[in-house]
């Protein structure tokens, strides 16, 4: 009889200790979950900011291209002889095509991010 009482007390104490451990682990898990949730919120905010930055970069690249085209149109003078004007136009067109190609590559790279 004494042995069964002793066994019951030992089991009760063991259960109390296990419950305390589980409560502690539960608190730790809740804290970890809060930290993970905060990290996810920060990551999402960073994703949104990166998307907005990429969009702004694309817009800036397009504006730079438009500015380059407008500058090239301003530099064309109608009084030049045809041969010189044609050569100059071809050079400027080739330069603009290269700039356009470079800007398109940059836009594609930004879109891939």
């Amino acid at each position: 009889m004494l042995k069964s009482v002793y066994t019951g007390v030992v089991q009760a104490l063991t259960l109390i200790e296990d419950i305390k451990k589980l409560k502690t682990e539960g608190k730790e898990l809740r804290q970890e979950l809060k930290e993970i949730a905060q990290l996810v919120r920060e990551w999402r905010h960073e994703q949104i900011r990166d998307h907005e930055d990429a969009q702004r970069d694309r817009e800036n690249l397009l504006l730079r291209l438009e500015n380059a085209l407008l500058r090239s149109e301003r530099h064309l003078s109608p009084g030049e002889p045809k041969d010189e004007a044609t050569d100059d136009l071809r050079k400027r067109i080739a330069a603009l095509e290269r700039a356009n190609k470079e800007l398109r590559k940059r836009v594609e790279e930004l879109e891939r991010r």
Side-chain angles (χ1 to χ4, degrees):
M1 165 130 169
L2 218 48
K3 187 174 185 178
S4 65
V5 170
Y6 174 76
T7 304
V9 170
V10 169
Q11 287 178 343
L13 291 174
T14 304
L15 288 173
I16 290 171
E17 191 175 314
D18 289 346
I19 290 171
K20 286 181 183 178
K21 285 181 186 177
L22 288 173
K23 284 183 179 180
T24 304
E25 289 175 4
K27 287 179 184 178
E28 290 172 358
L29 287 174
R30 279 191 292 277
Q31 182 60 35
E32 287 179 25
L33 184 59
K34 286 178 185 178
E35 291 171 5
I36 290 171
Q38 179 61 32
L39 288 173
V40 169
R41 281 191 294 274
E42 290 172 5
W43 175 78
R44 181 63 185 140
H45 180 68
E46 188 176 319
Q47 291 291 318
I48 291 169
R49 190 175 55 239
D50 286 347
H51 176 73
E52 290 169 351
D53 289 347
Q55 186 175 2
R56 187 174 43 257
D57 289 345
R58 284 191 299 274
E59 290 171 2
N60 286 338
L61 288 172
L62 291 173
L63 288 172
R64 286 177 56 199
L65 177 59
E66 184 179 354
N67 284 339
L69 289 171
L70 290 172
R71 282 190 202 119
S72 71
E73 289 174 1
R74 243 189 342 225
H75 289 294
L76 298 178
S77 60
E80 293 181 17
K82 280 194 171 185
D83 292 336
E84 287 180 33
T86 304
D87 288 343
D88 189 44
L89 278 174
R90 285 185 179 145
K91 287 178 186 176
R92 289 182 181 173
I93 288 171
L96 287 173
E97 286 174 345
R98 286 191 301 273
N100 187 9
K101 222 182 233 185
E102 180 184 327
L103 290 173
R104 285 182 188 273
K105 285 180 185 177
R106 286 184 183 173
V107 168
E108 288 174 5
E109 288 173 9
L110 290 171
E111 287 175 345
R112 279 188 234 134
R113 290 185 193 170

